[in-house]
Amino acid sequence: MHIPYTIHARPDTGLFNAKLGVWLFLASEVMLFGALFSSYVLLRIGAPSWPHGFEILNIPLATLNTVVLITSSITMVMAWASLKIHDFARYKRYIGATVGLGFVFLIIKAFEYGAKFSAGIYPSESTFLAIYFTLTGLHGLHVVGGMIVNGYFWGPGSRMWHTEPERFTNRIEVAGLYWHFVDLVWIFLFPVLYLL
Amino acid sequence: MAHVAVTHDVHEAIHHTEELSFWRKYVFSLDHKVIGLQYLITSLVFLFFGFTLMMLMRWQLAYPGQPIPIIGKWLGEMNAPGGIMLPEFYNQLGAMHGTIMVFLGVVPLAVGAFGNYIVPLQIGAPDMAFPKLNMASYWTYLVGGITMLSSFFMPGGAANSGWTSYAPLSVVATTGQTVWLIAMVFLITSSLLGSVNFIVTIVQLRTKGMTFMRMPFFVWAQLVTSFLLLLAFPPLEAAAVMQLMDRLAGTSFFMPSGLVVAGQILDVSGGGSPLLWQHLFWFLAHPEVYVLILPAMGIIAEILANNTRKPLWGYKSLVYAAVFLGFMSFIVWAHHMFLTGMGTVISAFFQTTTMIISIPSVIILTAFFISLWGASIRINTQMLFALSFLPMFGIGGLTGLPLGLAPTDIHLHDTYYVIGHFHYVVAPGTIFALFAGVYHWYPKVTGRKMSETLGKIHFWGSLVCMNGIFMPMFIQGLAGVSRRLYDGGQQYAHAQGVLQWNEFMSIAAWLLALFQLPFIINFFLSLKTGKKVESDNPWEATTLEWATPTPPPHGNFARPVEVYRGPYEYSVPNHPTDFTPQHVPDPVKA
Amino acid sequence: MSRSPEEIKKHVRVYVNVFVALMGLTVITVAISYLHLSVVPAVILALIVATIKGSLVASYFMHLINEKKMIFATLILTGIFFAALMSLPLIFHIDKFY
Ligand code: HEM
Ligand SMILES: [Cu+2]
């Protein structure tokens, strides 16, 4: 059976299915993280005292992680651009780099968590730490999810390029949208948790 | 170009269906119709199970402290020693009844089953936009549902903090609550996958000529519903994650400082807000009540138009009202919280929005009533259910107004009046609409009609019993009887005058169960003995689902369909038949 | 979206510029935090920088800048409900001012 508009855009909406689908999914993600951000603001305003993130957390590491994630965003978009100019080898390098940078991000994050745990700092310590671990943990899960998807398109999933190049390019565009969103969330998490 | 491809592939699909293995065809199917039926069966089973829990509770309310006959022995010594239900078990039943009915029963039935089966057909699509996602949505739902039920076997039993799971009670509750939260995460994920799929399908896969304003009202209702699910559920997911953290990692999102439990100050960091949970919960749960009602209204619209044999009155106003309803439903949530110490400014705001949101509901109901005006109505079982939906939903909606105004809600909040209110909208409202939908679309799915005789017994019995259960709740609620009493109010002086209703309501509830038997028998028996339909369009309807072969094959349409007109062209003057299907070209123009 | 290779090359230049801008803004936001401003200006500055960064990512990496009407409509709707959600803290406190 054939589902229309999986490859080419529907003329009146100008969209192919997966593109609309992923944007809708991202809209729901906005509401998910929005609820947590909102809770953060609410709890912070209500608290008699609130620590500054920079007193407890490791800013240099987090800054490094910001750089890593932003870099992975540009490699992701370059991976898509490479497919657009039909350079598959280059695509492979860029998507590989994206997955690799995701790993680097997680490793740095693991160091951060590890240092906290070994210093006896747990989520149950304070509301600030509760929200810090919940938000970064959830974000970390999103990174893992993105890496699985990108890893698939780097490995076995990339075979589709040889049979249905346009459809494959669409898939990378859609995966990219998700990955940039994960980056975008971090761009807000970083100042809110670490710098304020 | 795409259309040529469709023709080719549809033929191919028809030939291919026989080659699929049993597993691919019925279990791990990608066909939206099979998935819809899977949803149908599963959610009906959950619905009957949730109803059973309530019937047990009604025994305790009618005859407090007396052993439950027969079944009492099976409940186990932990729950009901000597067949007498313990308060803890009563609480579990209450929480699980609400959760199961809403999240495992009605919503999956209205959206997962009816939406899945009917929406692609009504817009002329070969399937949903993402068939694999569709399958994943069903299986995630099933896992979530089974997880939810498994909580009965946890130490301390199932979740027992109400379907609303208010903190901090839920945070200090037994393990069942953890299972509840995990199950909810599954259910939310499932509905997320579903809603993305629905919206993309409706926006992208409408066939040629099917403009937005030619879509049947049912499709509009599903579209708005999907947006509600998409955007309202994630905040509850976030809240569920936070409550899980509170329970498992010892955080204090919802735990205030200095909370005393069982005479001891709780050892938590504190500083959290129990009200935060309520806000996040109702941010979902108010839109959720419109998730419960909108698809029902959609079904009613289809059945009314079909059986009044005239166009639905005010199609455009219906569509705008539904969209506005969906939009407003996001900004009324705090009307569930007037008694939480809310100040006058916020209270005034939410009272105002609540009054505003009742306007589109009234518009929809009014349009339905006017549609009946001057019609020569064809009475069959689905039409009976649809007709009774109107006053039943009317009672439910009107009783909502005093709840939406703080001065009256202060008296009525948390009494049986609230229970009466929302059951009138959901039980003889939504569930009647869903029954109507089953009778209406059964011939399309099976090629046979359900029995009218059994259908009428089912209808009249259910109608009488439903009112027998829920009408007295208003009386008790107005007298001030709390909705959460284990003994039905025995120990309260103010309840004494209305206590006699408890037994009456319980008997009505058990009779209601009895009157579901004709439905169950009808449902299965008609597969074999139902009257065979002579055409693909036995009700002489206008919408596209009736333009498919019966039952529709994988890929749905035998030929590509094109749409030439609006959805409800009945009794068009100078037309040879009293219905003009959407896909039949105009003889004049052709 | 079928774009010619030449166009893509132009895009790539834009991506690199955006990348440089994002790096610059990261440095700025960290630098500001070391000034230890009082809460209100610190929050305002941090949010302004984050919003600029966020819109750069959304506009260029996610191509929102020339996206279709349907997507915008969805995002505007989401934005409204997001605002409702973010008003929660306000709901808790607004009555104190009256
Ligand atoms: C048409 C106008 C409606 C208005 C003005 C309205 C108003 C309200 C209000 C103010 C409450 C809170 C009462 C309290 O706890 O004190 C409430 C409860 C409830 N309503 Fe409605 N409602 C309306 C329609 C509906 C519909 C259509 C549904 C579902 C299909 C529904 C389902 C519920 C449920 C489930 C609750 C109770 C939740 C709980 O506390 O467990 N309502 N309604
Ligand atoms: Cu409500």
Side-chain angles (χ1 to χ4, degrees), chain B residues 213-296:
Chain B
M213 282 323 234
R214 282 179 180 172
M215 293 194 314
F217 184 62
F218 179 75
V219 179
W220 269 106
Q222 292 284 349
L223 181 62
V224 176
T225 303
S226 298
F227 269 105
L228 299 185
L229 289 174
L230 183 77
L231 298 176
F233 250 134
L236 183 66
E237 186 152 28
V241 169
M242 286 191 275
Q243 199 179 96
L244 267 178
M245 288 292 284
D246 272 8
R247 291 180 56 87
L248 300 179
T251 58
S252 294
F253 285 110
F254 305 123
M255 301 298 273
S257 308
L259 186 70
V260 177
V261 174
Q264 301 257 304
I265 291 196
L266 223 54
D267 179 27
V268 291
S269 64
S273 165
L275 279 188
L276 174 60
W277 169 267
Q278 293 197 22
H279 276 293
L280 292 176
F281 181 84
W282 289 116
F283 192 90
L284 153 87
H286 189 85
E288 176 82 3
V289 308
Y290 289 94
V291 170
L292 296 171
I293 199 70
L294 276 169

Side-chain angles (χ1 to χ4, degrees), chain A residues 3-64:
Chain A
I3 310 243
Y5 312 121
T6 44
I7 301 178
H8 296 288
R10 182 182 163 109
D12 57 352
T13 60
L15 297 166
F16 59 91
N17 298 345
K19 171 102 137 281
L20 179 60
V22 82
W23 273 107
L24 290 167
F25 173 66
L26 294 184
S28 86
E29 293 278 83
V30 168
M31 298 302 280
L32 178 73
F33 282 102
L36 287 164
F37 271 113
S38 180
S39 306
Y40 163 84
V41 177
L42 190 149
L43 293 172
R44 180 167 185 167
I45 292 178
S49 71
W50 192 269
H52 286 288
F54 49 74
E55 291 161 4
I56 302 175
L57 306 174
N58 190 332
I59 296 204
L61 274 189
T63 311
L64 181 60

Side-chain angles (χ1 to χ4, degrees), chain B residues 54-66 85 90 416 476 485-490 499-510:
Chain B
M54 179 41 70
M55 286 194 286
L56 283 176
M57 295 173 76
R58 287 283 359 154
W59 175 271
Q60 170 62 24
L61 293 172
Y63 313 109
Q66 292 181 34
M85 184 183 296
Y90 179 87
Y416 264 101
Q476 288 198 332
L485 299 175
Y486 161 66
D487 62 357
Q490 297 260 321
L499 274 185
Q500 74 276 14
W501 286 109
N502 275 335
E503 190 179 4
F504 180 87
M505 289 190 279
S506 294
I507 291 173
W510 302 322

Side-chain angles (χ1 to χ4, degrees), chain B residues 138-200:
Chain B
Y138 171 74
W139 288 102
T140 321
Y141 156 67
L142 190 66
V143 170
I146 292 172
T147 311
M148 188 64 85
L149 293 196
S150 73
S151 71
F152 272 108
F153 303 105
M154 292 294 129
N160 49 26
S161 313
W163 80 285
T164 54
S165 284
Y166 276 6
L169 180 66
S170 54
V171 177
V172 298
T174 49
T175 326
Q177 181 64 23
T178 304
V179 180
W180 188 91
L181 291 165
I182 294 170
M184 283 310 288
V185 171
F186 275 102
L187 295 172
I188 295 171
T189 309
S190 155
S191 84
L192 191 75
L193 298 178
S195 58
V196 168
N197 213 344
F198 274 104
I199 299 173
V200 175

Side-chain angles (χ1 to χ4, degrees), chain B residues 42-61:
Chain B
T42 318
S43 55
L44 279 175
V45 170
F46 280 131
L47 214 55
F48 283 116
F49 181 72
F51 183 38
T52 314
L53 301 186
M54 179 41 70
M55 286 194 286
L56 283 176
M57 295 173 76
R58 287 283 359 154
W59 175 271
Q60 170 62 24
L61 293 172

